[in-house]
Amino acid sequence: MEKITFKNKCFVPDWMPDYKKVFRENANSFFEKIITSTPIFQGKEVELSYFQQGVGSIVSKVTLSSGEAYVIKTTERLNTTLAEIKSYEAMSDFGVKVPRVYKQGVIDGHPFFVMEYFDEGTLQDKLDKGEITIKEIAEIKSKVFVNLNKIPGKGYGWTVGYEDGVLRGNFSDIESFMDEWFGGEDVVDIASKHYPSISWAEELQKRKDVIIKKTKSDETRLGSFDFQTAHFFATEPTTFFDSNPRLEPKYFDLAFALTPGADLSDNEFKLRKILVSKYESEIGSIDREEMLRALWLQTFRKATNLLLRPDEKRTKLGLYMLGVLAERVELEEYLKQYF
């Protein structure tokens, strides 16, 4: 029988909806079931520590008495976890180094996977220690970003399938995807609460309609929506992890990477500039109007999500982003600085 020692508790943010809180509060029981059902852990003494950063998933380090270490990752949603597993397969085939996945499965309706652990630290760790420059990091990240963009996909949203070198999204048509990801009365209501002078429903629908009209096929490319420097292990070559991958229309991945921030550092600004330059040199010149439209939609989605589940930090950022959108000229001027 396995002996499991929990070294800490799963972090439960106050702003989370109740169903996510309940899932996290009961994490120990769920992780026990994962460990007892996974051959590499069976009959072993293990220590489990939850990582405290990041809230999209529950991630833990599992260390055997022999010193071997692994990572277990789960969410309460099947598509979110499946998307990462399928995208890892595609990334590996297209030259992006990612963690090896040892086991995947579903327990009590919740998906999980067990993957490789790295103790080299991240690029963010190296930057903080002065062991790497922001230019070097930007070159690494921009190369990965471009390589992701070259991975073909069919459909939109979470990457729920991968066959013959093509990823498949969980939405087959652009209309369904745009309505699900960029619609809903709740997002319009929260924006209107803070900026009542703006007709948010009209502004949102106008941009959605243009995207739908301009989209002529279901061919998409893979993008990452958690492209932080802390999500790259400082291995050789660099290992990309926790990517939050999705298939979306043209420029949507780049737009998300450029969303306005209330306290954007000089390093982040330099990194973004290099990313845009790399994109244009390897993917092609960027249509500014299309890019502006994608940036508006991604900024609106992120801002309203922050405000719907607020804490002090999330509220500050969400209000700042909505404020930028409230003036079209301000968003245009913001985008110009990257070109």
Side-chain angles (χ1 to χ4, degrees):
M1 179 176 290
E2 300 76 20
K3 180 182 179 182
I4 306 170
T5 302
F6 290 91
K7 303 295 288 185
N8 61 359
K9 293 183 178 180
C10 182
F11 178 51
V12 185
D14 290 337
W15 54 265
M16 275 190 167
D18 288 343
Y19 75 96
K20 285 181 176 285
K21 287 182 178 179
V22 170
F23 184 60
R24 285 174 168 264
E25 288 164 355
N26 292 290
N28 282 9
S29 175
F30 182 66
F31 275 73
E32 283 181 2
K33 292 179 180 180
I34 294 175
I35 289 170
T36 57
S37 67
T38 301
I40 56 178
F41 302 136
Q42 288 175 348
K44 307 287 180 62
E45 291 186 12
V46 303
E47 289 186 349
L48 185 146
S49 298
Y50 294 106
F51 292 101
Q52 300 300 306
Q53 293 182 333
V55 293
S57 307
I58 304 176
V59 186
S60 70
K61 175 185 177 183
V62 179
T63 306
L64 279 61
S65 56
S66 62
E68 295 176 82
Y70 301 86
V71 170
I72 298 177
K73 185 171 183 178
T74 185
T75 68
E76 73 288 345
R77 296 176 298 178
L78 179 60
N79 282 347
T80 307
T81 303
L82 185 59
E84 189 163 355
I85 294 169
K86 293 302 179 183
S87 295
Y88 276 169
E89 294 177 21
M91 290 179 204
S92 183
D93 286 349
F94 282 82
V96 177
K97 188 176 187 304
V98 295
R100 178 182 176 186
V101 175
Y102 296 103
K103 179 179 171 60
Q104 57 177 289
V106 178
I107 292 177
D108 296 339
H110 299 301
F112 74 91
F113 60 99
V114 180
M115 63 179 172
E116 188 176 6
Y117 172 77
F118 297 88
D119 61 5
E120 286 87 350
T122 68
L123 291 184
Q124 185 64 56
D125 296 329
K126 293 191 71 173
L127 181 64
D128 293 342
K129 295 174 182 177
E131 297 174 355
I132 193 171
T133 67
I134 193 65
K135 184 177 180 180
E136 290 172 321
I137 288 177
E139 290 295 335
I140 293 170
K141 292 182 66 175
S142 60
K143 181 179 179 180
V144 171
F145 191 92
V146 166
N147 285 342
L148 294 180
N149 210 266
K150 293 177 180 179
I151 299 174
K154 289 279 189 180
Y156 305 86
W158 301 116
T159 52
V160 295
Y162 180 59
E163 188 175 355
D164 298 327
V166 179
L167 285 164
R168 178 173 55 83
N170 68 316
F171 290 96
S172 61
D173 62 278
I174 186 65
E175 293 89 353
S176 299
F177 169 73
M178 293 301 294
D179 285 343
E180 177 70 22
W181 281 83
F182 297 95
E185 294 183 5
D186 55 344
V187 297
V188 171
D189 289 345
I190 196 68
S192 299
K193 174 183 175 181
H194 292 287
Y195 284 90
S197 63
I198 306 296
S199 178
W200 293 107
E202 182 179 332
E203 293 292 330
L204 178 61
Q205 192 61 51
K206 178 172 63 177
R207 289 167 177 82
K208 286 168 55 180
D209 288 345
V210 174
I211 297 296
I212 291 170
K213 184 177 180 180
K214 283 181 170 289
T215 303
K216 303 302 182 182
S217 76
D218 63 351
E219 293 185 1
T220 47
R221 291 295 183 271
L222 182 64
S224 167
F225 296 86
D226 215 341
F227 205 65
Q228 300 177 46
T229 302
H231 289 182
F232 289 80
F233 286 121
T235 55
E236 185 56 48
T238 304
T239 302
F240 184 38
F241 70 102
D242 201 14
S243 57
N244 199 359
R246 300 173 207 172
L247 294 168
E248 291 198 307
K250 190 176 182 180
Y251 299 142
F252 274 52
D253 55 344
L254 186 59
F256 190 86
L258 300 183
T259 51
D263 301 302
L264 197 65
S265 68
D266 289 340
N267 278 345
E268 179 63 22
F269 176 70
K270 291 175 185 176
L271 194 153
R272 292 181 179 194
K273 289 262 299 182
I274 293 173
L275 179 61
V276 170
S277 177
K278 183 77 168 181
Y279 186 99
E280 289 205 295
S281 67
E282 295 209 17
I283 302 297
S285 60
I286 297 170
D287 184 301
R288 305 293 197 274
E289 193 61 31
E290 286 189 37
M291 183 64 194
L292 183 65
R293 193 176 298 115
L295 182 60
W296 194 100
L297 286 164
Q298 293 287 40
T299 302
F300 180 79
R301 186 175 190 274
K302 184 173 181 179
T304 51
N305 282 341
L306 290 169
L307 293 171
L308 283 168
R309 297 175 179 86
D311 60 18
E312 184 177 352
K313 182 178 179 181
R314 291 166 66 88
T315 298
K316 179 183 177 182
L317 178 56
L319 289 177
Y320 175 82
M321 296 172 83
L322 273 187
V324 173
L325 294 185
E327 295 290 340
R328 178 181 172 86
V329 173
E330 187 172 346
L331 187 64
E332 290 176 346
E333 291 301 315
Y334 169 78
L335 184 59
K336 285 179 182 178
Q337 66 185 329
Y338 293 111
F339 295 92

